[in-house]
């Protein structure tokens, strides 16, 4: 493919074809997948030509359903959610669902405050992770990469690292 040809899901080397993804997860034991948090958890973003307009969590649920047709899936993730909103309004619902695979947020929207309270963010995340760890679910999380920049905050990389 030449440098001028735009990538699509079919040609992007970082996109697994559905059958390859299903082969990787063929022995996956999960039957109840829950996702809580913010837009990172939901996998939202603007549509890109040549790609399905679906977030990562919906895509993962689709792949898991290909190998486990009885998979149940709950996503309470919402754009703009903070750790406080997630702890108060989402974690309980997710735990009542009794997932065996649970994705937890990292608190990215809390960093958008003019002066984030890192101690408070840490306490909320710890509480959320403590509650989740009492379940039998495999817990997953991830955070923002270096490519994500918020120009209005010159210390953005330091905020994410902290």
């Amino acid at each position: 493919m030449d440098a001028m040809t735009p990538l699509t899901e079919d040609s992007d080397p970082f996109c697994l074809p559905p059958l390859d993804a299903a082969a990787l997860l063929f022995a996956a034991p999960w039957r109840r997948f829950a996702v809580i948090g913010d837009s990172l958890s939901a996998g939202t973003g603007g549509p890109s030509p040549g790609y399905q307009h679906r977030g990562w969590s919906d895509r993962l649920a689709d792949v898991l359903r290909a190998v486990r047709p009885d998979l149940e899936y709950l996503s309470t993730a919402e754009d703009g959610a903070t750790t406080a909103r997630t702890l108060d309004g989402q974690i309980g619902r997710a735990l009542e669902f009794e997932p065996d695979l649970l994705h937890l947020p990292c608190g990215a929207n809390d960093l958008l405050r003019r002066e984030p309270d890192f101690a408070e963010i840490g306490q909320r995340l710890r509480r959320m992770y403590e509650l989740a760890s009492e379940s039998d679910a495999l817990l997953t999380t991830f955070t923002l990469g270096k490519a994500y920049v918020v120009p209005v905050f010159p210390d953005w990389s330091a905020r994410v690292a902290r």
Side-chain angles (χ1 to χ4, degrees):
M1 172 172 292
D2 71 51
M4 300 304 290
T5 305
L7 292 176
T8 66
E9 281 193 49
D10 292 333
S11 63
D12 189 331
F14 295 105
C15 289
L16 281 175
L19 286 176
D20 291 351
L24 287 173
L25 292 175
F26 180 74
W30 309 297
R31 297 187 186 281
R32 299 180 68 77
F33 174 36
V35 176
I36 65 172
D38 54 22
S39 60
L40 286 175
S41 295
T44 57
S48 296
Y51 294 82
Q52 291 181 49
H53 187 61
R54 292 182 53 78
W56 72 266
S57 56
D58 292 339
R59 289 170 180 260
L60 179 55
D62 288 346
V63 173
L64 288 171
R65 279 191 188 108
V67 299
R68 297 279 181 257
D70 61 339
L71 178 83
E72 293 189 46
Y73 170 52
L74 171 71
S75 177
T76 62
E78 57 183 301
D79 289 352
T82 60
T83 52
R85 213 159 87 198
T86 303
L87 186 58
D88 293 342
Q90 294 183 37
I91 186 74
R93 189 166 158 216
L95 294 174
E96 287 172 10
F97 177 71
E98 297 181 346
D100 51 13
L101 178 61
L102 173 58
H103 182 79
L104 303 164
C106 66
N109 287 319
D110 296 87
L111 302 181
L112 296 173
R113 304 283 185 263
R114 190 168 303 281
E115 294 185 27
D117 185 337
F118 290 101
E120 190 173 302
I121 296 166
Q123 286 175 333
R124 286 191 196 118
L125 286 171
R126 273 189 295 283
R127 181 65 185 141
M128 196 177 332
Y129 294 167
E130 285 169 3
L131 289 168
S133 72
E134 294 171 7
S135 76
D136 290 330
L138 174 66
L139 308 178
T140 66
T141 192
F142 53 73
T143 192
L144 299 166
K146 289 183 180 182
Y148 187 81
V149 177
V150 178
V152 73
F153 297 114
D155 66 336
W156 184 254
S157 292
R159 289 175 183 230
V160 172
R162 189 164 175 196

